[in-house]
Amino acid sequence: MPTDTQAIKDRIDIVQLIGEYITLKKAGVNWKANCPFHHEKSPSFMVHQEKQIWHCFGCSKGGDIFSFVQEIEGLDFIEALKLWANRAGVRIETHTSEVNQSQRNRILEINSAAAYFFHHFFLEIPGAEVARKYLEDRKLTKQTIEEWQVGYVPDQWDLLTRYLLKKGFGINDLIAAGLTIKRDGADEATGRGFYDRFRGRVMFPLSDAHGNIVGFTGRVLVETEHSGGKYVNTPETIVYDKSRVLYGLHKAKTEIKAKDLSVVVEGQMDVVACHQAGMRNVVAASGTALTPEQVKLLKRYSNNVAMAFDADAAGQSAGKRGAGIAMEEGMNVKVIQLPKGFAKDADECIKKDPKVWFAAVGSATGVLEWYFERILSSVNRSSPTEKQQAVAILLPEIARVPFGVVRDEWLKRLGEALLIDPGVLRDEVKRAKKAPLRSPQTQVTSEKAPSAVLVRESQYDILVKDFWSFLVKFPDSFAALYPELKPVYFVNTAWHGLYEIAEKVYNNEQKLDLASVRQILAEKGREQTLDLLLLMPMKNTSEFSSLEAGKELASVLSRIKEEWRKQRGKEIQQKIMEAERAKDKATVEALLQELQTL
Ligand SMILES: [Zn+2]
């Protein structure tokens, strides 16, 4: 083994290797960069080309090429060795069998055989005509399909499983790769009771940053009751962790470094369309909001990211969460805005007119500017409630900025825009950083009463706001909640008017149609109420099924009820005392009656 490692070291230059992950700049005889392993603004990560070692003076990590690869890829030593032995053209003699037999490598091989199968099925088999037609309609060229190894698998039970078994792979490895599913009572000896996870789908291989195929996304062509969702993904396996994979990164990374910008779009089709149109620094976080791990991966190549959010509420919400995470990691985040109503995503935009897409990416707005524009454009500055709503959305976003000077600049701007003393906002951010902004404690422990207009929300107000913010994201839940709703829950809150509108729309249309709600609000010049609610961050919103959302809303509503009862109870007791003092027996009677029926 020592001779193997030395042979690899002799052939691979450390500057070139590390340079594939992060951007190194020459500094005298050394090279330097912002450390990929800890958060920093000025570079303390150094590479010594002559000695072929690296060291970070910030976090004290360091070593040779292998320790770097282990650290950044999250691999063990053998895997790191294998990865770079291939590149160096060094055959690892002593431990070949051991390395090849690791399940990780077997699964990568299986995935690559499966990708080959799907792709050739797509290209050559008459049964794949429907898929070819589908991608042709979506304007993918032959070259693109080859480049991305797009494939197809027909709707049959175990076509792929049988193919891979015939190739000599073991059934347990196929299951571990997530390609084959085992029924209860399956029999390994006869091979009965095993079936393919992906059936009747267009297949997109998912690769890691090095181009190893780690999993698949299968998109159904025709959605039916039995098709099991529009997209099916490889489940978590030892090679696939969806929070660490960015679709297209292996093809985009060089261009991301060259352009010093990554473009994040929503889906696979968006990525492929962008690359086909000649924009190659584009990736997607398959099906979720960007995760911290994915952000760290992007940061290796550039600190600048431009993000496109899909036009629907789920896309907006997931996009905003991802943007928040990237901001917290100190990235410079921009938001790509398509002309209103032009297209719902990158793919559609490029199909209509690629120039519009390129222009939109070129003129992407800083994420905080984007928030400011959207929220502040319609706030009535003489209404404390509206100002409070705007602050409630913008302050947590500003608080994400990890650099004090930048944060302060935004607080000043917010203060100017809303005519609030920036000092008050600074205190708010300090408090928000100590405790989450929404926790009840931050509401009570405000020993220093806010000097300015900033109206403190009670816990009750926050519950009610959460309720509406959730409800507008899942309006279908309204029907089930309606019998439980009472106008009194909202009377003294900022959302009273909205309740009346929602009730009216629901009674007219038997459902809470947001378009109608919006229209009524617009007539009153209050359209922005709905946008505020839609924009309001809720944790994990996009990952709720409508069933879960319904349950969550019902639970928020029951807390509202409980709080309301408590408050109303206190008010009534107060009034009873007053009425007793005034010897007003009738009122006391009536109040006692009400107290009992609360
Ligand atoms: Zn470091």
Side-chain angles (χ1 to χ4, degrees), residues 51 62 83 104 110 133 227 245 249 307 367 397 466 541:
K51 289 193 225 150
L83 187 64
R104 187 187 148 81
I110 288 171
K133 178 82 177 50
S227 56
V245 170
L249 184 63
M307 304 176 62
V367 65
E397 297 308 321
D466 275 351
T541 310

Side-chain angles (χ1 to χ4, degrees), residues 403-424:
F403 312 119
V405 184
V406 182
R407 215 165 44 228
D408 209 55
E409 181 56 36
W410 284 105
L411 289 176
K412 270 188 227 150
R413 282 202 216 175
L414 182 59
E416 275 163 29
L418 290 178
L419 311 173
I420 298 173
D421 175 8
V424 175

Side-chain angles (χ1 to χ4, degrees), residues 227-414:
S227 56
K230 194 166 168 189
Y231 292 96
V232 165
N233 293 306
T234 296
E236 210 92 324
T237 71
I238 59 169
V239 303
Y240 180 62
D241 171 354
K242 78 170 176 193
S243 68
R244 288 172 194 276
V245 170
L246 282 163
Y247 184 72
L249 184 63
H250 63 302
K251 291 188 188 297
K253 62 183 182 183
T254 321
E255 191 74 0
I256 291 175
K257 263 206 305 182
K259 292 252 161 72
D260 195 13
L261 171 73
S262 58
V263 174
V264 177
V265 291
E266 183 135 320
Q268 277 102 8
M269 284 305 290
D270 299 317
V271 173
V272 171
C274 286
H275 281 247
Q276 182 171 292
M279 185 182 284
R280 297 187 160 269
N281 51 339
V282 184
V283 298
S286 314
T288 55
L290 270 186
T291 65
E293 290 82 8
Q294 289 169 329
V295 168
K296 287 193 182 102
L297 208 53
L298 279 180
K299 251 186 94 151
R300 287 179 192 171
Y301 305 101
S302 167
N303 205 39
N304 302 309
V305 59
M307 304 176 62
F309 308 154
D310 274 11
D312 56 10
Q316 294 272 320
S317 158
K320 281 166 52 255
R321 258 193 298 149
I325 289 168
M327 262 160 86
E328 281 164 10
E329 286 293 328
M331 285 187 92
N332 177 15
V333 185
K334 290 187 167 182
V335 177
I336 299 165
Q337 286 171 284
L338 295 176
K340 222 177 176 179
F342 185 77
K344 66 178 192 315
D345 55 26
D347 181 31
E348 192 181 297
C349 182
I350 289 170
K351 242 179 263 140
K352 280 191 178 167
D353 187 352
K355 279 194 251 84
V356 174
W357 171 250
F358 276 81
V361 174
S363 59
T365 331
V367 65
L368 283 177
E369 273 121 2
W370 180 78
Y371 272 114
F372 269 55
E373 258 171 43
R374 300 199 61 160
I375 306 296
L376 296 181
S377 58
S378 54
V379 172
N380 173 2
R381 281 160 187 72
S382 58
S383 154
T385 318
E386 283 191 28
K387 279 160 78 163
Q388 171 62 34
Q389 288 172 356
V391 169
I393 293 176
L394 292 173
L395 217 52
E397 297 308 321
I398 297 174
R400 289 181 200 274
V401 177
F403 312 119
V405 184
V406 182
R407 215 165 44 228
D408 209 55
E409 181 56 36
W410 284 105
L411 289 176
K412 270 188 227 150
R413 282 202 216 175
L414 182 59

Side-chain angles (χ1 to χ4, degrees), residues 35-40 44-45 54-61:
C35 177
F37 306 123
H38 83 279
H39 192 67
E40 65 177 1
S44 45
F45 178 95
W54 61 278
H55 184 81
C56 172
F57 292 91
C59 64
S60 304
K61 286 188 172 151

Side-chain angles (χ1 to χ4, degrees), residues 126-144:
E129 185 53 39
V130 51
R132 291 195 287 268
K133 178 82 177 50
Y134 169 80
L135 290 188
E136 208 174 279
D137 288 347
R138 302 200 65 166
K139 301 260 175 4
L140 290 200
T141 66
K142 235 188 161 143
Q143 196 194 342
T144 299

